[in-house]
Amino acid sequence: MPRHDLHRFSRHFSSYTELRVQENTNVGITFIKGNNTGNTRSVMGGVSARVYQDGSWGFSSSPDLDEPMVRSVIRAATDNATFMNSRVKKGQGNLPQVQATGHADFATHKPRASQKVLVDFVKEIDAHIAATYPGLSSRTVSLSVTDMEKTLLTSDGSSAYSLTPRSLIYVILTVHQDGEPVELFESFGGRGQFEDVFSSPSELYEGIARQHQHLMNKAQGVFASAGVQMCVLDAELAGILAHEAIGHTAEADLVLGGSVAGALLEQEVASPLVTLVDFAHTALGSTCPVPVYVDDEGTPAEDAVVIRDGVLKTFLHNKETAAHFGVAPAGNARAYQFSDEPLIRMRNTAILPGKSRLEDMIASVDDGYYLVKPGNGQADSTSEFMFSVPLGYEIKNGKLGRAIRETTISGVAFHMLKTVTMVSEDMKWMCAGMCGKKQMIPVGMGGPAIKCTISIGGR
Amino acid sequence: MEEPRKIAGYARDALLKAGADKAQCLLAQSAKHEMNVDAGKLSLLRTTFDTRLALTALDGQRKGTSAGNQSDRAAVDRAVAECLGIARSSQPDEAHDIAASQPAATFKTGDEQPDLERMYFRLDELLQQIQVRHPKAVLRQAYVDFTHTRSYFANSNGVDFATHKGVYHGVLMFSSQEDGKVSSFNYTGFAVKDLDRPLLQCGSVDTLLRQSGEQTSTRPVHGKFVGDVIITPDCLGDTLYFLVRSLSDFAMVSGTSIYRDSLDQVIASPQLTIHSRPVAEEICDGYFVTGDGYAAANSTLLDKGVLKSFLLSLYGANKTGKTRSANDGSAWVIEPGTTSLEDMIKSVQRGVLMARFSGGSPSNNGDFSGVAKNSYLIEDGRITYPLSETMLSGNFVELLKDIRAVSTQRIDYGQAILPWVAASGVTISGK
């Protein structure tokens, strides 16, 4: 529930102003080989103001929320904008005026679990793994819970409250093969507070069993053959592809900074099978992993169709870049901490499902790879991307073969997406994503499986 | 507002009074002034003030930590109760402890206040110099900040440290454009005590901007071969990441470190000597107190290829029965070698000048693969052309042993001082 009424501060706004009170609460509990190495809780919150004057911005923040301090933060942000504007003199004029109200509270209605309950929950999972898989040389189980609570008021009259929680359990399993460690990572959970996401440790055991089987396969695995290969990328890889390789190049601040996408608007950049959307809050009838209803500039959040049927249709904007390009902003300006300024960020980026079945896609490959899990990823202003792949299998004559060891895939997204020949009918969201761009921020990434040609690292 | 040192002492004592066996408190107050450039234009002045109150309690060898950014008396009392509650919810572990008693000390470095006019002057000067010297470059995002932090660390063994630190940081991300073609983005950063020098002269800024302008037209290598790499100072940090990760608490406690039994053994080429020097005069962005509450000291990680220290916290040391490291790592200073960069390049028959590596996190056994970014092909002892769509793969454990030269030249980033390093045995594959 909203705890702060910011409207009384609006009389202190002298230029375009965003006033935001935010609190991020994090809980972290870790067991490494049965040792409870971490048990922490942190609450970081405060107030920030951002002020715009004719193309220049000022920002200020403080952890103290008393009334004089809030006034002082507004004044400091205004002074900072004045300092910049008096020197830079951009003369850009006003930002587009938008007004929105929003209330999105994903707090649980169940009684809150104590820290002891959380510790015992993680401990029980760890004990299950130790008892069930004695051949493992190491195991790590950790719980990470984040609540992000924001209250916003803008001088345009937008006001919004949101509480967006995320609860994740990470499991890392390790075996030693020929004296060397081989590991596999899996995450469980997603949007919601712990009580709404997890009910019993045993609910994770089936997923952990699959993870363990994949690890055993990987320990016996082979190195991929380096070079350009026909691959089926499973849903999670398609999701990170959508985010890293396409989404970032379409962020308007990166376009202004030289992204290759700047020259490709309304051009064919992908197979007609590919439609890629940055969803605001609801996708295909369901609430997204990171729902955004009103962004941190007070803009009502709407879906942004980045690629429709293979054609690049739009960039992702904040108010300033929207004004530059003469379009309406769609709510992509987000900040991670109270002390962070909003940046252009993706929300829930996904390739839309197609009509093929995953089994048929694998069966159609004579010699290639089925790549299952993504690790980290990075993309470039050229749309050249790289993702690590900690889990994958060979495909030989349409059938899955041996597992492969860690590898990396890469390509130029706007070339590679033209090689997509099949898109699966199902869709899966990755709910544990964090995106780094000056600040870290939670994002959703999703997609179906896609069949394409791609460069793979190996030996 | 109460004096910060008193608040830290009050929190420590309150934890003990509430029943903790051992207690520690870190109170840090920071002020940051940050001037930003977006898409080549000065855009934002950001001033942030923050507090971090981090409490640790041990109760029957059960450990809890809580952190917040409020430091008034009521907030401290809430944090104390919460921290003890967290400790009591933990599982006991004999390895948990707090830092032993040390003489009280106050450490000071850098200015207390930023020179905002000079920050503006230097950023504006940078934009003008880039226009003249590197006209193809677009500064996608850049900032210079001045951060001043006052930190107080107190524990129930009598540790009482104060640190006052002020430092300027610069971060630049850029690409280049020419005839409708775009280079890969690149980035770099540095720390400086003052703004006496133009930003273009700090760290590797000028070199990387020049290289960016050369990289609007790129080609993949043809085929696949095993060759040499010359790793630039900007890329060396990524390479060190594997070594650092393998020597730190998580890998050592979980038993996944490939180096867990390698102390005093040769794990790298004798050309390689790596120090961590957080309190050295040559490092302007170091630190004086470890996360555990020990006075940091300079140390040697690798001496002529021999592993001389792990990077273990007090907990990691107690858990593994090995020695706690003298610092928390970083502030890396790699000793220069005897080969000039020019001679290094001349010695490569076929390989890559590896200026940025966009790769997956390496496996615990050291296997890595990724894309060579902002990099060049070297053939017959000379740089031939900038690369794209070229992948590098190999094994960091082997690569450290296969280092055959370290350059005489080094780049001073303020946070680290690093040379170029040449190694062999990397698989290079293109189209």
Side-chain angles (χ1 to χ4, degrees), chain A residues 48-280:
Chain A
S48 69
R50 189 170 72 144
V51 172
Y52 176 87
Q53 289 180 6
D54 226 8
S56 293
W57 292 93
F59 182 94
S60 185
S61 69
S62 166
D64 298 322
L65 291 171
D66 57 81
E67 192 152 338
M69 184 53 75
V70 175
R71 288 201 304 268
S72 166
V73 162
I74 296 168
R75 192 165 52 247
T78 307
D79 290 346
N80 283 348
T82 303
F83 178 96
M84 293 300 280
N85 191 35
S86 67
R87 285 155 181 80
V88 181
K89 297 185 176 71
K90 285 185 185 169
Q92 275 182 207
N94 295 330
L95 295 170
Q97 277 203 330
V98 293
Q99 211 174 56
T101 54
H103 183 98
D105 187 349
F106 289 92
T108 184
H109 298 295
K110 298 175 184 172
R112 298 309 313 268
S114 68
Q115 193 91 4
K116 178 79 166 65
V117 168
L118 303 185
V119 170
D120 289 345
F121 195 96
V122 180
K123 184 184 168 197
E124 192 173 329
I125 295 169
D126 177 74
H128 164 80
I129 295 170
T132 312
Y133 309 110
L136 294 173
S137 56
S138 188
R139 62 188 189 278
T140 299
V141 184
S142 61
L143 170 70
S144 173
V145 175
T146 302
D147 289 353
M148 191 181 288
E149 185 178 27
K150 296 178 177 181
T151 306
L152 175 77
L153 178 71
T154 74
S155 54
D156 283 353
S158 287
S159 63
Y161 170 82
S162 62
L163 174 63
T164 313
R166 180 150 91 164
S167 300
L168 299 166
I169 288 177
Y170 301 106
V171 176
I172 306 172
L173 305 181
T174 309
V175 289
H176 273 71
Q177 179 73 24
D178 302 326
E180 292 188 348
V182 181
E183 73 177 25
L184 194 59
F185 165 96
E186 186 60 271
S187 65
F188 302 88
R191 189 197 69 250
Q193 290 183 316
F194 176 87
E195 296 78 3
D196 290 340
V197 176
F198 299 110
S199 54
S200 162
S202 62
E203 287 182 346
L204 275 62
Y205 295 166
E206 195 180 321
I208 292 170
R210 279 196 300 273
Q211 180 187 1
H212 179 262
Q213 185 56 55
H214 282 309
L215 176 65
M216 294 299 108
N217 298 343
K218 182 178 170 182
Q220 302 295 328
V222 295
F223 288 102
S225 176
V228 177
Q229 305 281 359
M230 180 66 72
C231 294
V232 175
L233 309 188
D234 206 356
E236 291 190 24
L237 275 149
I240 197 169
L241 177 80
H243 175 96
E244 290 287 352
I246 304 298
H248 277 305
T249 55
E251 289 170 338
D253 52 342
L254 273 64
V255 170
L256 290 172
S259 162
V260 69
L264 298 175
L265 211 56
E266 296 296 343
Q267 292 190 31
E268 190 175 298
V269 295
S271 153
L273 296 173
V274 175
T275 292
L276 189 151
V277 182
D278 182 51
F279 289 102

Side-chain angles (χ1 to χ4, degrees), chain A residues 375-422:
Chain A
N376 62 313
Q378 194 180 58
D380 202 334
S381 41
T382 59
S383 91
E384 189 179 21
F385 63 88
M386 171 291 304
F387 312 126
S388 66
V389 181
L391 180 66
Y393 288 86
E394 294 176 325
I395 305 175
K396 299 290 182 190
N397 300 316
K399 292 191 171 12
L400 293 184
R402 297 171 295 181
I404 57 172
R405 292 292 187 93
E406 253 96 355
T407 188
T408 302
I409 55 173
S410 72
V412 175
F414 290 137
H415 298 164
M416 182 280 244
L417 283 177
K418 290 179 180 169
T419 73
V420 172
T421 52
M422 298 174 90

